[in-house]
Amino acid sequence: RINGQRLWDSLMELAQIGATAKGGVKRLALTDLDKQGRDLVVRWGREAGMSITVDQIGNVFMRREGTNNALPPVMTGSHIDTQPTGGKFDGNYGVLAGLEVVRTLNDLNIRTEAPIEVAFWTNEEGSRFVPVMMGSGVFCGAFTLETAYAARDTEGKSVGEELARIGYKGEQVPGDHPIGAYFETHIEQGPVLEDADKVIGVVPAVMGLSWYDCVVKGMEAHAGPTPMGLRKDALQVATRIMQQVVAIADRYPPYGRGTVGMVQVFPNSRNVIPGEVKFSIDLRNVNDELLNTMHEEMLAYIEQTRKDTGLEISIERVSYYPPCPFHPDCVDAVRKATAKLGYSTMDVVSGAGHDAIYTARLAPSGMIFVPCKDGISHNEIEDAKAEHLEAGCNVLLHAMLERARV
Amino acid sequence: RINGQRLWDSLMELAQIGATAKGGVKRLALTDLDKQGRDLVVRWGREAGMSITVDQIGNVFMRREGTNNALPPVMTGSHIDTQPTGGKFDGNYGVLAGLEVVRTLNDLNIRTEAPIEVAFWTNEEGSRFVPVMMGSGVFCGAFTLETAYAARDTEGKSVGEELARIGYKGEQVPGDHPIGAYFETHIEQGPVLEDADKVIGVVPAVMGLSWYDCVVKGMEAHAGPTPMGLRKDALQVATRIMQQVVAIADRYPPYGRGTVGMVQVFPNSRNVIPGEVKFSIDLRNVNDELLNTMHEEMLAYIEQTRKDTGLEISIERVSYYPPCPFHPDCVDAVRKATAKLGYSTMDVVSGAGHDAIYTARLAPSGMIFVPCKDGISHNEIEDAKAEHLEAGCNVLLHAMLERARV
Ligand SMILES: NC(=O)NCCC(=O)O
Ligand SMILES: NC(=O)NCCC(=O)O
């Protein structure tokens, strides 16, 4: 069993770097604070006897040798960058749970056959630089190193420059690094476990997602003198589509999701009929066929609305990740470890993307969820119970040991 | 008959001050450009033999003496401040039509019994400082000089300071200035005249308006992991209310108006369910009883939505102007002048507020509308035909002469 207090203390110490007044953490990717966080975790890794490798996109691999180092490592990890109003656990928990596994193996003098590695991936959050899950994305070849280096923040600073500046532009070619299996522990970032009062979520798969930008163009006009019948009100037409996004998701339970999160109205003046409305659409499902059906229904509704209203409506898909089922062996390893340890459990499909969806393209991968308070994440009030974090870390320990063999 | 070419030339010359690339004008109240515009109009007034009075809120009155100066003046006017993306005609036309009337009387050596005055009112647009129609509002006692002086722009500059800075903080106490009758010519700012192919709109009344701020509070959560049934999506609930605003207006034709022009979504991120949505509501009607019914229906719908969804919804009325019927004598004077001149005409209720709704509290008032292209105003592409502007000015001349007596 791992040391829950030590895990908690490390989480709290790392959370000091970029701590916010409301109890959260602001430690954006490749900032000075990110460097401080990286340096601390790397120091802890060294103190636990691990060797450090950094690749060209700044992914860090901390390695504990096995008895047969020809075997590919059993890896765990996550990320330590945060949202601008982020919490203490998102990502950080996955990295420090890996560190705690190694510290525990050291305490108990356990040697594994395969090496163990703890990774942290660069810029998972995608808040400062897009695309999201950048480090693992480059690692698995989803996009090139050049694309990633060229990404710029709102101040015009690039990933390439910032990596070099903070001293984490490594030598190793991304992906030139074998993985035997990959496990990632993470807070659920949703309310399902807490609602069902379960401690461990076994994650069979991550939902696929489609992101869109939709623009409705009407005609700007004065709110007073323009009769209702002569209006081309872009907002009124946009609200129909916004409601349809949810209606479509509701038609495909239990895993259909539909969200409009971002809206911009032009000119956004109290007494001007909106001439243009731009908004985002986020559709998700764990089944790719159903996700595609949702996509088609969305396009059909927009086509019909175009005909009904005569307004110009454009829709563009800006991101697509197919659903990612995890490897049966890894899912089973998590399930068996949970049963052995006697924790209450249920399957929870991940609604959020994680670095594990990229590692899954290269090696058997799996995830372990623990509850977070009120299902809230990407928020400074994000919270989790020490006993749940400890349980998740114990499951990680046993799942990794099964794959790495003692 | 007035000189249409001279009127047009003056409009084009004034529109040079603050001219924008897209052919509009940006000349916000109490800026250096407003000072330049004011100085030019005052110079033209002096050249036309008028004396100038400025009151403490910066309203400017240009006076041509009558043969019986004990009579209160017959006044016309409007404003020369513009929207940030304003046009050449909104307001400016009303002021320069008044100037053209005086120039014409001078040309023809006509003396009126009552004096004639041409006014321009401070900060009608309300873009830089609220409340709107500030100069005429202080003049008629709708709010105090102190309230107006204390209004600040987004940079923190106050009306009091800015008036003094540009040299238009006059001596006269606002309202301490008699008015016998007031006429205001204006572009319609709506499509009705153009649609009906009429030249002159006789304005029997201005619609009343109610402005509201509505805030829906839900619960911010991650768009992926949060099941549809566990969401408190503030935007989805807000869109229902937004649609109801239009539905309510549609129930009270032909003068019911309902508009949501301004929307802010928090945190406004693609993969976060909106936790809060703030939006404006603008309801109008020419009948105060119907406007009140619309108000009640709005509140009832929000109360019902609160019950149906369990979300916190607040609604606050931020402005209310009752409908303003114009004085029968002034409406008749416009109608008779139009008939005498042989212009095609119809009655057009004004959907927009104007300085004339405040003067109407002190003296018989009336308005004359001319068509504007596609009904578009508050837009750099605002446009009007020289022949229509000329016709409106001729109607103004004859209506004023009827009241001022030759
Ligand atoms: N974990 C996470 O928030 N990933 C970002 C992509 C998503 O919205 O799922
Ligand atoms: N003319 C004008 O735009 N007035 C502002 C108040 C309103 O929206 O009617």
Side-chain angles (χ1 to χ4, degrees):
Chain A
R1 299 244 172 174
I2 62 96
N3 182 335
Q5 186 62 48
R6 183 168 55 189
L7 170 60
W8 181 261
D9 291 345
S10 295
L11 278 163
M12 293 308 112
E13 192 174 337
L14 182 52
Q16 293 302 311
I17 302 171
T20 65
K22 289 188 189 159
V25 180
K26 179 178 179 174
R27 199 165 62 233
L28 296 179
L30 310 186
T31 56
D32 289 347
L33 289 171
D34 188 19
K35 177 190 164 49
Q36 283 181 47
R38 287 165 172 261
D39 288 351
L40 178 62
V41 175
V42 164
R43 174 161 70 77
W44 282 338
R46 287 224 169 85
E47 287 169 3
M50 290 189 275
S51 60
I52 312 294
T53 307
V54 182
D55 74 9
Q56 292 167 335
I57 189 62
N59 296 320
V60 177
F61 304 95
M62 310 196 293
R63 179 179 173 101
R64 182 178 193 265
E65 299 299 338
T67 54
N68 178 359
N69 291 315
L71 290 173
V74 174
M75 191 184 280
T76 187
S78 194
H79 59 97
I80 66 161
D81 67 311
T82 76
Q83 292 278 329
T85 54
K88 304 183 192 81
F89 304 100
D90 178 0
N92 297 283
Y93 169 52
V95 177
L96 297 186
L99 179 70
E100 178 53 34
V101 163
V102 170
R103 286 169 168 173
T104 300
L105 296 179
N106 291 347
D107 289 349
L108 303 178
N109 257 312
I110 296 174
R111 298 237 50 94
T112 55
E113 205 178 317
I116 297 278
E117 292 196 11
V118 181
F120 52 92
W121 308 97
T122 294
N123 183 36
E124 190 271 351
E125 295 289 4
S127 302
R128 185 175 174 205
F129 301 105
V130 283
V132 287
M133 303 179 282
M134 181 179 277
S136 52
V138 171
F139 186 89
C140 91
F143 43 89
T144 65
L145 188 60
E146 289 63 44
T147 303
Y149 278 171
R152 286 178 192 278
D153 69 5
T154 52
E155 290 175 9
K157 292 178 187 160
S158 76
V159 165
E161 291 155 18
E162 288 291 276
L163 263 178
R165 188 183 67 80
I166 68 163
Y168 277 88
K169 197 177 201 169
E171 296 289 318
Q172 193 176 52
V173 174
D176 207 357
H177 190 117
I179 305 179
Y182 179 85
F183 294 95
E184 184 168 349
T185 50
H186 209 283
I187 55 168
E188 182 198 337
Q189 304 189 286
V192 175
L193 284 172
E194 193 181 66
D195 252 44
D197 200 19
K198 305 288 183 193
V199 173
I200 298 295
V202 176
V203 185
V206 177
M207 293 183 194
L209 75 79
S210 262
W211 280 351
Y212 310 82
D213 283 344
C214 185
V215 181
V216 179
K217 285 194 178 153
M219 179 59 151
E220 227 165 290
H222 197 306
T226 313
M228 300 309 288
L230 295 177
R231 295 178 175 215
K232 292 181 181 170
D233 186 328
L235 180 62
Q236 290 294 321
V237 174
T239 57
R240 294 195 218 169
I241 301 172
M242 292 173 188
Q243 291 179 348
Q244 191 60 26
V245 169
V246 166
I248 288 172
D250 282 339
R251 283 203 285 276
Y252 298 97
Y255 294 118
R257 303 277 187 275
T259 308
V260 175
M262 193 159 54
V263 183
Q264 283 172 285
V265 174
F266 304 94
N268 216 31
S269 167
R270 191 183 281 284
N271 54 359
V272 181
I273 299 161
E276 185 175 319
V277 178
K278 184 173 171 177
F279 59 100
S280 64
I281 298 174
D282 175 320
L283 295 180
R284 306 192 188 208
N285 206 308
V286 73
N287 176 315
D288 202 29
E289 214 169 300
L290 293 183
L291 182 57
N292 194 47
T293 304
M294 291 167 69
H295 167 85
E296 295 297 341
E297 288 185 9
M298 194 69 241
L299 297 194
Y301 185 83
I302 285 172
E303 182 55 34
Q304 188 58 44
T305 306
R306 234 181 241 129
K307 278 190 195 138
D308 292 349
T309 65
L311 263 56
E312 199 183 308
I313 310 176
S314 71
I315 177 141
E316 189 196 350
R317 176 133 77 170
V318 294
S319 284
Y320 168 67
Y321 292 91
C324 172
F326 285 127
H327 197 284
D329 291 356
C330 288
V331 176
D332 278 356
V334 173
R335 209 184 296 286
K336 270 158 59 183
T338 307
K340 188 160 100 184
L341 292 159
Y343 296 124
S344 62
T345 181
M346 68 187 292
D347 281 15
V348 180
V349 166
S350 175
H354 292 288
D355 293 308
I357 71 168
Y358 280 136
T359 65
R361 298 191 187 180
L362 302 175
S365 298
M367 289 189 78
I368 302 157
F369 275 177
V370 297
C372 62
K373 188 162 185 300
D374 300 325
I376 293 171
S377 182
H378 287 191
N379 194 316
E380 289 163 84
I381 63 166
E382 178 187 276
D383 203 3
K385 287 193 181 154
E387 64 195 84
H388 293 159
L389 300 169
E390 179 177 342
C393 189
N394 273 321
V395 172
L396 177 67
L397 169 70
H398 287 273
M400 290 184 80
L401 285 182
E402 192 204 287
R403 296 289 303 189
R405 298 242 279 277
V406 181
Chain B
R1 299 249 172 170
I2 61 95
N3 181 335
Q5 186 63 47
R6 182 168 56 190
L7 169 61
W8 182 262
D9 291 344
S10 296
L11 278 163
M12 292 307 113
E13 192 173 337
L14 181 52
Q16 293 301 312
I17 302 171
T20 66
K22 288 187 188 161
V25 180
K26 177 178 179 175
R27 198 166 63 232
L28 296 179
L30 311 186
T31 56
D32 289 347
L33 289 171
D34 187 20
K35 176 190 164 50
Q36 283 180 48
R38 286 166 172 261
D39 288 351
L40 178 62
V41 176
V42 165
R43 175 161 69 78
W44 281 338
R46 287 224 170 83
E47 288 169 4
M50 291 188 275
S51 61
I52 312 294
T53 307
V54 182
D55 75 8
Q56 292 167 334
I57 188 63
N59 296 320
V60 176
F61 305 95
M62 309 196 294
R63 179 179 173 101
R64 181 177 193 267
E65 301 298 338
T67 53
N68 178 358
N69 291 314
L71 290 174
V74 174
M75 190 184 283
T76 186
S78 194
H79 59 96
I80 66 161
D81 67 312
T82 77
Q83 292 279 329
T85 54
K88 305 184 192 78
F89 305 100
D90 177 1
N92 295 284
Y93 169 53
V95 177
L96 297 187
L99 179 72
E100 177 54 35
V101 164
V102 170
R103 286 169 167 173
T104 301
L105 296 179
N106 291 347
D107 289 350
L108 304 179
N109 259 314
I110 297 174
R111 300 239 44 99
T112 55
E113 204 178 319
I116 297 277
E117 292 197 12
V118 181
F120 52 93
W121 308 98
T122 294
N123 183 36
E124 191 270 351
E125 295 288 2
S127 303
R128 185 176 174 204
F129 301 105
V130 282
V132 288
M133 302 180 282
M134 182 179 276
S136 51
V138 171
F139 187 89
C140 90
F143 42 90
T144 65
L145 188 59
E146 287 64 42
T147 302
Y149 278 170
R152 288 181 189 276
D153 69 6
T154 53
E155 290 174 11
K157 291 177 186 161
S158 75
V159 165
E161 291 155 17
E162 288 292 276
L163 263 177
R165 188 183 67 81
I166 69 164
Y168 277 88
K169 197 176 201 169
E171 297 286 318
Q172 193 176 51
V173 173
D176 208 357
H177 191 116
I179 305 180
Y182 179 84
F183 293 94
E184 183 168 349
T185 50
H186 209 282
I187 55 168
E188 182 199 338
Q189 303 188 287
V192 175
L193 283 172
E194 193 181 66
D195 252 43
D197 200 21
K198 306 288 183 193
V199 174
I200 298 293
V202 176
V203 185
V206 177
M207 293 185 194
L209 76 80
S210 262
W211 280 351
Y212 309 82
D213 283 343
C214 185
V215 181
V216 179
K217 286 196 179 151
M219 179 58 150
E220 227 165 291
H222 197 304
T226 314
M228 301 309 289
L230 295 177
R231 296 178 174 215
K232 291 181 181 170
D233 186 329
L235 180 62
Q236 291 294 322
V237 173
T239 58
R240 294 195 217 169
I241 301 171
M242 292 173 187
Q243 291 179 349
Q244 191 60 23
V245 169
V246 166
I248 288 172
D250 283 340
R251 283 203 284 275
Y252 298 97
Y255 294 118
R257 303 277 189 274
T259 307
V260 175
M262 194 159 51
V263 183
Q264 282 173 286
V265 174
F266 306 93
N268 217 31
S269 167
R270 189 182 283 283
N271 54 359
V272 182
I273 299 160
E276 186 175 319
V277 178
K278 184 174 173 177
F279 60 99
S280 65
I281 298 174
D282 174 320
L283 295 180
R284 306 192 188 209
N285 206 309
V286 73
N287 175 316
D288 202 28
E289 214 169 301
L290 292 184
L291 183 57
N292 194 48
T293 304
M294 292 167 70
H295 167 85
E296 295 297 342
E297 289 185 8
M298 195 69 240
L299 297 194
Y301 185 83
I302 285 173
E303 181 55 32
Q304 189 58 46
T305 307
R306 235 183 241 128
K307 278 191 196 137
D308 293 349
T309 64
L311 264 57
E312 199 183 308
I313 310 175
S314 70
I315 176 138
E316 189 195 351
R317 176 133 77 171
V318 293
S319 285
Y320 167 68
Y321 292 90
C324 171
F326 285 128
H327 196 285
D329 291 356
C330 287
V331 177
D332 278 356
V334 172
R335 209 184 297 287
K336 272 159 58 183
T338 305
K340 188 160 100 185
L341 292 158
Y343 296 123
S344 63
T345 181
M346 68 186 291
D347 281 15
V348 180
V349 166
S350 174
H354 293 287
D355 293 308
I357 71 168
Y358 279 135
T359 63
R361 299 191 187 181
L362 302 175
S365 298
M367 290 189 77
I368 301 156
F369 275 176
V370 297
C372 61
K373 187 163 186 301
D374 300 324
I376 293 173
S377 181
H378 288 191
N379 194 315
E380 289 164 84
I381 63 168
E382 179 187 276
D383 203 5
K385 286 192 181 154
E387 66 194 84
H388 292 158
L389 299 169
E390 178 177 345
C393 189
N394 273 322
V395 172
L396 176 67
L397 169 70
H398 288 272
M400 289 183 80
L401 284 181
E402 193 204 288
R403 295 289 304 191
R405 300 241 278 276
V406 180

